[in-house]
Amino acid sequence: MVRANTERALRDLYELREIGAYKTGVHRPTLSPEDMEARRWLASKLEEIGHSATIDGIANVFGRAPGNGPHVLAGSHIESQNHSGWLDGALGVVYALEAARAVAEDPSVNGSGVDVIAFSDEEGHFGQFLGSYSFLGELDEATIDESTDRSGRGSLRDNLANFGLDGKERVTMDPGRYKAFFEAHIEQGGRLEREDFTIGVVTSIVAIWQYHIIVEGAQNHAGTTTMAERRDAGKAMMQIWHRIEERFPELIDTHSVWTAGNVVLSPGGPSIIPGKAEMWFQFRDAEMPVLERMQDGLFEIVAQIDAEGPCSARVEPLGRSTPAKMDSEIQNALVDAAAEITPDRALVMPSGAGHDAQNMARHLPSAMMFVPSIGGISHHWTENTSDDDIKDGAAVFVDAIGKVLTQH
């Protein structure tokens, strides 16, 4: 067994928490001064254990381990949402750092190593999974040129240039070097805590399918237009939303979710009948047949409202990802490690949120592990996990990596 120094991992997490501290969480948006300080902190920690560390041209931090034996890759992301939690992403980076240390310190592993990566912008300040796409050689220069910060901090190019990274070489993966990729994360939901589990072993990462629904009617005076005369786009949109809520429970599976994240009525005056309504809508599941049923149901509902009138309605797909399956053999290493360290406290489960592991799984056997989120809270500065759960998670994560490295 490769043993983690769980107190050391916890100290690192508390040390990292001080960079960009905000209330009980952190504020480290991608390519902010705080984010770059955290990246330099990680690079320094990696160099201390003999890794060759770099911050590349997309701000990925990559630490390459010495040794000629088998290697695994482990990591997550180090930036945060705005005014958000201290563990989202950071937990997986520190667990990877601890795994690299533990393997380097264990003579039984004999020349094997753990390369560590902190992917840039998993949180999507400038784009979507820019760091992992770049590491996999799937990010082109045109996408970098087109990317801007959602909070108004300007272009990705300018922000990279602020820290001397624009034009710097971007590190790409050598797939032949690795036996597997591991990522750890807080659950970001309440299931582990609610069902009294310490470890979540992820089977798959959901796909996210997103849509823009547009209803067009006739803008008019709210006081002088009779109800019979109205072509109220807002009313028609609410009918779509209501029918989604009625119909989707018949189409879904246990872990399916859907969200109307933004609804806009135009022109939006209290005395004006809306002439246009827009809704941005998404759903998530890990199984393609379920996703396709939900999409068919959405299209049918919008077509029904369009046919019934008096408003026109249409739906435009915005993007769809593919569910990512985690590797069963690598999952088993986590299950076995959890059985030894936290007996009967591991749950095999899907991930309802997106993670860089879903991109890595297309190229390497990949595994993902969760620890509980207190109250199911994430993407908020009150996000937290108990120290005991953090330490148990580190022990399981490191031991599972040791098992994979020593498998023949």
Side-chain angles (χ1 to χ4, degrees), residues 35 42 50 105 107 114 119 170 174 187 198 226 238 282 297 302 366 388 392:
D35 175 48
L42 176 60
E105 292 165 353
V114 179
F119 293 114
R170 291 188 276 130
D174 173 9
E187 182 193 355
T198 301
T226 67
M238 294 307 103
Q282 68 166 232
V302 174
S366 296
D388 285 344
D392 282 344

Side-chain angles (χ1 to χ4, degrees), residues 1-9 72 74 91-106 108-109 113-114 116 182-184 199 333-334 336-338 340-341 369 371 390-406:
M1 175 186 287
V2 177
R3 297 184 182 276
N5 182 331
T6 60
E7 290 289 348
R8 178 173 60 188
V72 301
L91 178 107
V93 170
V94 169
Y95 278 11
L97 172 63
E98 180 55 33
R101 286 170 170 157
V103 167
E105 292 165 353
D106 190 330
S108 71
V109 188
V114 179
V116 176
F182 281 81
E183 182 172 6
I199 302 295
L334 285 167
D336 292 345
E340 295 168 12
I341 295 166
M369 189 197 83
V371 296
I390 289 172
K391 290 191 288 185
D392 282 344
V396 171
F397 189 78
V398 170
D399 183 42
I401 286 177
K403 291 181 188 305
V404 169
L405 284 172
T406 54

Side-chain angles (χ1 to χ4, degrees), residues 220-231 273:
N220 214 329
H221 195 291
T224 61
T225 308
T226 67
M227 300 306 290
E229 294 174 306
R230 296 185 180 205
R231 295 176 57 216
I273 299 165

